[in-house]
Amino acid sequence: MTVLSMLRHGALCLLFLGFPVATSYAAVKALPAHVLESIAAREYHASVHAHELQAPNRAQGFRTRFRDDGIELVERDSSAQSLLRLSLVQWGRADHLQSADLGVLVANEVRVERRSNTLTEWYINTPEGLEHGFDLAQAPPGRGALEFHLQSDRPAQWMHADLIEFGGAEDTLRYSKLRAWDAAGRLLPTQMVLADAHRVVIRVDDTDARYPITIDPLLQRTADIVRTSGQSGAEFGTRIANAGDVNNDGVDDLVVGAYRFDSNGLTDNGAAFVYLGPDFTTSTFLSVNQAGAGFGAGVGGAGDVNLDGFDDVVIGAPGFDGTAGTNSGAAYVYFGGVGTFDATADATIQGPASSANMGAAVRGVGDVNNDGIDDLAVGVPRYNPGGRPDQGGAFIYYGASNFNTTADAVLAINDLSVNSGNALASGDVNGDAINDVIVGSTGYESSANFINEGAAVVYFGGVVTIDTTPDAILRSGQVGATGGASVAVGDFNGDGIDDVLSGAPLSSAATTEAGMVQVWFGNTGSFDTLVDVTLFGTDMVEDFGRSVATLPDINDDGREEIVVGAPRSYNGFGLRTGEVKLYFSAPNGFSSSPSLVLEGTQTDALFGNSVAIGRFNSDSLFDVAAGEPALDISPGVNNGAFYLYFGQSIKVFKNGFE
């Protein structure tokens, strides 16, 4: 199922499942190619047949009959058995509904519509299904959300805010993929509910919307792929990362952590799952045999650290009791290879001291020493060198054909309770063509008056070795904000130099612990520590910025985009489902409103606690993965899940608008 392009206000898709293609197709397969192409071009066109307007849909196995009061879907075969009648009966504001008194039907090839002065109801017939949508030129009178009331002759079942199903298991019609945003590119909250078994209500919150309202399916709001751990309490999806292409098939793979997974009779030993794209149907299970190890609390793509042409994976287990003592932690490196992924660790890195929690964050950081080989960073947020409790830091391991587990550099701040190493990122932020490392330090305090303000600490890469002294400390500037809880790098202003992105999820700058995300633009040779852009959460305790990621430039304006996880945010209808928000960049920053919002499926399930970006489905477009670790689903609570949203090809797309 794909998102259909150029959808309009309240746009929906009717998909009919379970009916075979008509056997008459076999009789025409031998026709010349140009004849077949001509037939295919007209296959889904609406036409008058038996004194009524109708349109066949070979792919979905149904035929649509268009009537003055709505549509009827019937089986495409000779039986013409009725499958569903659906009619718009009322629309407007919740307190000012009006009858659906629209004009006559007008057909233009695959599109059929009827309109009034302000409202156009339309249908588009394609192999993907029958699109049903509305264009609304101006805001109607009254107060409350916009509502569109649809009457059906078959009982409906509400699945979630974006999916209604009609019928049974053998002939299911799915009414889904609802999305709406305004003329300024702002996504509008949408919802589908059932007023009763035969009445579907579409609601759209158009508060402060600029009319006319339009739809643009940049990404699916309904996930293309959903996977769960199958174990209660596993918290699958707490961490998620692009693993790179571990089997060298040209498609990015995904690694998902479940740090509270139980296996082999051991509690909370944890696990990580490596899913191979593009189908993600099977995964390689990784774990360790020690209770409480928390394996999977940190997951990451390592790059190609052993120079064999395959991307590698690194997994952290910060609760592991190693040779250095209790909770010293560990990180495990798994080399990629041809075919399936090998579940045996190729290198084990042990924590340096008791309670160091090595592996709380892990990441491939590219080439930081200019030798042409990818390098690895491992966080140790509670490491205590020199008697400075919870100083933390990051250990750097230079890649080599004979990759070894002896640290080549230690990145640390000479201060106590910094908790450095809870998040990691890399990129060239000083324009010298060598990757630099950014280390999140949530406990950083610039003075005694800025307890737990947090910071993103920058270390410049160099020829032969990385600089182990901080080159820039990018502080949040706010007490208790925990800046550096998440970090990422991208070129957000289009100057060719990477910029630093840092999440501060406990910031109260907007409202109590709503969170914020800050951006510092990179500079040639030096780094300016003044904040260039700040985005704020809007809900109390929203956790905005708990996760961040960079989406490579998808609208061809030369600037990369920002993806922000807000796992405790409310959706447009007052449910704390969590959200992942996409912001398009602009020459001087970002719009304060997201251009796209992905919503969780369940209250308090922490959707957006983790996010990752990659090319996961072979179409060269960038996709979004999001974790929801507290999802309650069979067999129990906090099973957790991750979701994949595939990017969609848009022919003309600039600055967030079609």
Side-chain angles (χ1 to χ4, degrees):
M1 293 168 44
T2 59
V3 173
L4 308 177
S5 55
M6 292 304 295
L7 304 180
R8 293 286 179 182
H9 186 92
L12 303 156
C13 180
L14 277 169
L15 300 180
F16 188 64
L17 309 177
F19 286 82
V21 173
T23 56
S24 60
Y25 179 68
V28 300
K29 286 195 297 184
L31 291 174
H34 72 279
V35 176
L36 291 173
E37 291 173 2
S38 177
I39 294 172
R42 300 190 301 271
E43 174 73 28
Y44 298 88
H45 288 193
S47 61
V48 176
H49 179 73
H51 306 291
E52 69 176 3
L53 191 65
Q54 56 84 45
N57 195 307
R58 182 185 299 274
Q60 301 296 329
F62 62 67
R63 182 183 305 272
T64 303
R65 293 172 173 171
F66 298 96
R67 307 181 184 277
D68 290 338
D69 63 346
I71 57 171
E72 181 183 17
L73 271 64
V74 302
E75 287 201 59
R76 187 173 173 273
D77 62 24
S78 59
S79 72
Q81 178 184 345
S82 182
L83 303 170
L84 177 70
R85 286 179 177 263
L86 192 67
S87 304
L88 176 67
V89 292
Q90 289 182 303
W91 71 280
R93 301 284 183 193
D95 69 340
H96 198 278
L97 294 174
Q98 54 189 292
S99 300
D101 185 18
L102 302 180
V104 298
L105 291 165
V106 177
N108 182 12
E109 297 182 343
V110 298
R111 181 182 175 99
V112 177
E113 65 180 40
R114 45 185 198 141
R115 64 177 63 186
S116 67
N117 291 332
T118 59
L119 178 67
T120 299
E121 181 183 25
W122 55 263
Y123 305 88
I124 298 177
N125 190 39
T126 72
E128 289 83 0
L130 180 69
E131 299 177 37
H132 181 203
F134 307 92
D135 294 335
L136 191 56
Q138 62 188 48
R143 291 185 291 182
L146 297 173
E147 292 191 358
F148 299 82
H149 289 233
L150 304 166
Q151 192 75 20
S152 70
D153 68 334
R154 296 184 75 180
Q157 180 180 4
W158 186 85
M159 306 302 292
H160 56 71
D162 194 38
L163 177 60
I164 299 287
E165 288 190 349
F166 303 95
E170 299 300 321
D171 58 352
T172 301
L173 284 162
R174 306 188 75 192
Y175 200 55
S176 64
K177 303 194 182 295
L178 172 67
R179 60 192 65 80
W181 71 43
D182 69 3
R186 186 170 70 91
L187 190 77
L188 306 178
T190 59
Q191 183 186 45
M192 287 196 294
V193 297
L194 289 180
D196 57 51
H198 294 272
R199 180 167 290 212
V200 177
V201 180
I202 300 168
R203 291 177 180 154
V204 181
D205 184 354
D206 67 337
T207 304
D208 299 325
R210 287 176 53 187
Y211 278 80
I213 293 174
T214 59
I215 295 295
D216 197 337
L218 175 64
L219 293 170
Q220 297 190 51
R221 294 197 60 203
T222 301
D224 292 276
I225 292 177
V226 182
R227 299 286 182 265
T228 65
S229 72
Q231 185 182 104
S232 179
E235 300 194 22
F236 176 81
T238 300
R239 294 289 180 267
I240 187 170
N242 185 340
D245 184 8
V246 300
N247 60 341
N248 204 28
D249 65 352
V251 181
D252 287 341
D253 308 307
L254 199 66
V255 56
V256 184
Y259 78 105
R260 298 195 64 187
F261 195 92
D262 304 335
S263 62
N264 297 326
L266 302 172
T267 301
D268 294 346
N269 58 326
F273 301 79
V274 178
Y275 290 85
L276 300 181
D279 56 10
F280 299 90
T281 55
T282 60
S283 64
T284 301
F285 176 85
L286 311 176
S287 191
V288 292
N289 289 317
Q290 187 182 102
F295 184 90
V299 301
D304 183 11
V305 297
N306 66 333
L307 205 61
D308 66 351
F310 297 88
D311 286 333
D312 311 313
V313 170
V314 57
I315 310 295
F320 185 81
D321 300 336
T323 55
T326 303
N327 294 333
S328 54
Y332 301 81
V333 182
Y334 300 82
F335 296 155
V338 177
T340 60
F341 191 74
D342 185 358
T344 302
D346 295 283
T348 300
I349 302 169
Q350 295 238 10
S354 178
S355 300
N357 287 152
M358 169 170 268
V362 292
R363 183 181 178 93
V365 290
D367 183 12
V368 301
N369 66 333
N370 203 38
D371 66 353
I373 307 173
D374 290 335
D375 307 313
L376 179 68
V378 180
V380 284
R382 297 192 64 192
Y383 184 43
N384 302 329
R388 294 177 292 273
D390 297 340
Q391 172 183 328
F395 285 20
I396 303 297
Y397 301 84
Y398 296 149
S401 57
N402 59 340
F403 181 82
N404 68 79
T405 59
T406 301
D408 295 286
V410 178
L411 312 182
I413 303 175
N414 292 322
D415 202 352
L416 54 82
S417 300
V418 176
N419 293 118
S420 188
N422 51 262
L424 300 164
S426 67
D428 180 16
V429 302
N430 65 341
D432 65 356
I434 302 174
N435 266 19
D436 313 306
V437 175
I438 293 82
V439 181
S441 304
T442 55
Y444 177 81
E445 301 170 2
S446 57
S447 72
N449 296 323
F450 284 87
I451 298 173
N452 291 334
E453 67 171 311
V457 185
V458 180
Y459 299 84
F460 292 159
V463 178
V464 182
T465 187
I466 191 171
D467 191 355
T468 57
T469 302
D471 292 284
I473 298 177
L474 310 178
R475 42 186 291 263
S476 75
Q478 186 184 119
V479 175
T482 62
S486 59
V487 289
V489 168
D491 183 9
F492 306 122
N493 62 348
D495 66 354
I497 302 173
D498 286 333
D499 313 310
V500 176
L501 174 67
S502 175
L506 299 186
S507 166
S508 298
T511 186
T512 304
E513 296 185 358
M516 68 180 179
V517 168
Q518 297 169 299
V519 178
W520 291 263
F521 294 151
N523 293 286
T524 302
S526 61
F527 203 94
D528 185 357
T529 59
L530 295 177
V531 178
D532 292 285
V533 178
T534 304
L535 299 173
F536 298 100
T538 56
D539 300 328
M540 291 182 62
V541 201
E542 180 178 346
D543 236 13
F544 181 84
R546 176 61 60 186
S547 60
V548 294
T550 300
L551 183 62
D553 181 22
I554 59 173
N555 59 350
D556 297 323
D557 66 354
R559 298 180 294 272
E560 295 183 299
E561 331 301 345
I562 286 177
V563 177
V564 181
R568 298 184 184 275
S569 69
Y570 291 91
N571 64 16
F573 299 93
L575 301 175
R576 194 187 286 274
T577 58
E579 295 176 325
V580 172
K581 306 180 183 184
L582 187 153
Y583 297 83
F584 282 100
S585 57
N588 297 314
F590 297 84
S591 169
S592 59
S593 299
S595 297
L596 179 76
V597 176
L598 307 173
E599 295 178 351
T601 60
Q602 190 178 97
T603 302
D604 296 322
L606 302 182
F607 176 81
N609 194 78
S610 56
V611 293
I613 307 298
R615 291 188 174 105
F616 298 119
N617 67 339
S618 310
D619 65 359
S620 79
L621 302 175
F622 286 97
D623 315 305
V624 176
E628 191 176 37
L631 180 73
D632 297 342
I633 190 171
S634 180
V637 300
N638 293 346
N639 179 333
F642 79 84
Y643 304 79
L644 270 177
Y645 303 82
F646 292 149
Q648 302 299 310
S649 179
I650 299 175
K651 294 180 179 179
V652 181
F653 197 79
K654 300 291 184 182
N655 300 322
F657 306 93
E658 181 104 26

